[in-house]
Amino acid sequence: MRKLITYLSYLYEYAKYGDFISVYAACRYVIQKKTHSSDRIIKTDLGTFFVRAGTNDMQYANPQYERNIRLLAKSYITDGYSMVLDIGACIGEFSIYCAKEGAEVFAFEPMESNRAVLQKNLELNQVKGTVFPIGLGRETEQIQMNFDSVNTGASGISKSPQNPKSVDVSTLDDVFEKNESQHVLIKIDAEGMEIDILKGGRVFIQAAEEVAIILEDKFLDNAVLKATLHDLLPDHQIQRIDDYNILICKA
């Protein structure tokens, strides 16, 4: 019943704007595992988004997608967390939302195809954001990542990628040699690279007077994550946001 209500709420958000193509495409994907056949521009309560043919881009533009995360982000931005890092930005819906709320946004997206859509969506919504064409990790290197051409937000590192893309990886500490902001909100959705990203941002994270980290933990070893956080932020609190994400902040 819960899944049905969630699914119907997604369909309602498309129908509200008269976007019955997205309603049809969503139903078709659930039933036939096939996506829409042409590039489109759609409008939702989140803004205006370019969505690619053959992808699930439209799900990210739906206001029901990660709704609790956006509401949490809004509360932090309202409380003065003026710097937002969107690590694994995909098509940019979170970056755009935070920019509209008044935050200075820095988006990281290593996949060229995703990044092109991200840039286009920033322009369509007339908001500013700094986009880095790199992934983040614990060291500077070049790695092979698997690009999921349908579920584009699921692209990530793989031992045997089926659609390999060579991407540059840096560390958060190298990108920001000095943390100029004392209140930072960081969202990390990196398909299993989250712990490496935390380790590569040790100096940056510890330098912030206040830091809040929204982190996808579904692919992580809980014991390793716990040890990493104990070393990085000895005094911290963890709150479960949803089935896939947690909130980490200094105690």
Side-chain angles (χ1 to χ4, degrees), residues 8-9 25 51 108 110 147 222 227 241:
L8 290 175
S9 67
V51 297
F108 296 82
F147 178 62
N222 186 62
I241 302 172

Side-chain angles (χ1 to χ4, degrees), residues 7-250:
Y7 185 66
L8 290 175
S9 67
Y10 268 72
L11 296 183
Y12 169 75
E13 292 293 345
Y14 297 132
K16 185 165 62 174
Y17 279 82
D19 184 8
F20 295 105
I21 295 177
S22 289
V23 172
Y24 170 76
C27 293
R28 184 186 186 204
Y29 182 75
V30 170
I31 297 171
Q32 300 180 334
K33 301 302 180 184
K34 295 181 180 179
T35 60
H36 54 101
S37 58
S38 60
D39 294 344
R40 295 185 297 123
I41 292 178
I42 67 173
K43 291 185 178 181
T44 72
D45 285 348
L46 293 182
T48 304
F49 294 89
F50 175 80
V51 297
R52 291 162 286 184
T55 73
N56 277 354
D57 284 353
M58 67 181 187
Q59 73 172 327
Y60 305 122
N62 192 298
Q64 293 300 322
Y65 178 74
E66 294 189 340
R67 180 176 182 271
N68 290 339
I69 288 177
R70 290 196 308 277
L71 292 176
L72 182 62
K74 181 178 181 178
S75 70
Y76 273 99
I77 295 170
T78 301
D79 285 344
Y81 284 65
S82 58
M83 182 181 189
V84 173
L85 275 57
D86 187 7
I87 303 172
C90 196
I91 72 166
E93 77 287 342
F94 183 76
S95 291
I96 290 166
Y97 179 83
C98 292
K100 287 182 176 181
E101 291 297 325
E104 183 179 14
V105 174
F106 299 87
F108 296 82
E109 177 51 57
M111 291 297 177
E112 183 178 0
S113 177
N114 288 347
R115 197 166 58 248
V117 178
L118 164 59
Q119 292 279 16
K120 188 176 184 67
N121 287 335
L122 288 171
E123 295 170 4
L124 286 171
N125 289 278
Q126 299 180 351
V127 296
K128 294 182 179 179
T130 302
V131 179
F132 291 89
I134 57 173
L136 292 178
R138 74 169 70 187
E139 60 185 354
T140 298
E141 59 181 337
Q142 191 172 77
I143 64 174
Q144 293 291 313
M145 295 182 69
N146 185 62
F147 178 62
D148 191 322
S149 59
V150 177
N151 188 12
T152 52
S155 301
I157 194 167
S158 172
K159 293 181 179 180
S160 55
Q162 297 178 340
N163 187 11
K165 302 291 182 182
S166 181
V167 302
D168 292 322
V169 174
S170 187
T171 70
L172 190 55
D173 287 341
D174 284 341
V175 174
F176 297 101
E177 295 182 0
K178 183 179 180 181
N179 186 352
E180 299 289 350
S181 177
Q182 292 302 303
H183 295 76
V184 184
L185 174 63
I186 305 173
K187 180 178 183 291
I188 309 177
D189 182 354
E191 304 301 306
M193 293 185 66
E194 288 81 3
I195 289 175
D196 284 347
I197 292 170
L198 292 174
K199 290 181 177 180
R202 180 186 182 92
V203 175
F204 176 86
I205 292 171
Q206 292 181 342
E209 180 181 339
E210 298 290 343
V211 61
I213 304 171
I214 298 170
L215 183 140
E216 185 180 70
D217 67 337
K218 68 177 181 177
F219 294 115
L220 306 182
D221 183 301
N222 186 62
V224 176
L225 175 60
K226 183 177 180 180
T228 300
L229 292 176
H230 179 74
D231 179 59
L232 183 67
L233 296 171
D235 296 316
H236 67 273
Q237 296 176 336
I238 297 179
Q239 172 187 331
R240 172 63 60 182
I241 302 172
D242 54 34
D243 292 341
Y244 304 106
N245 299 276
I246 58 175
L247 171 68
I248 306 157
C249 56
K250 288 185 177 180

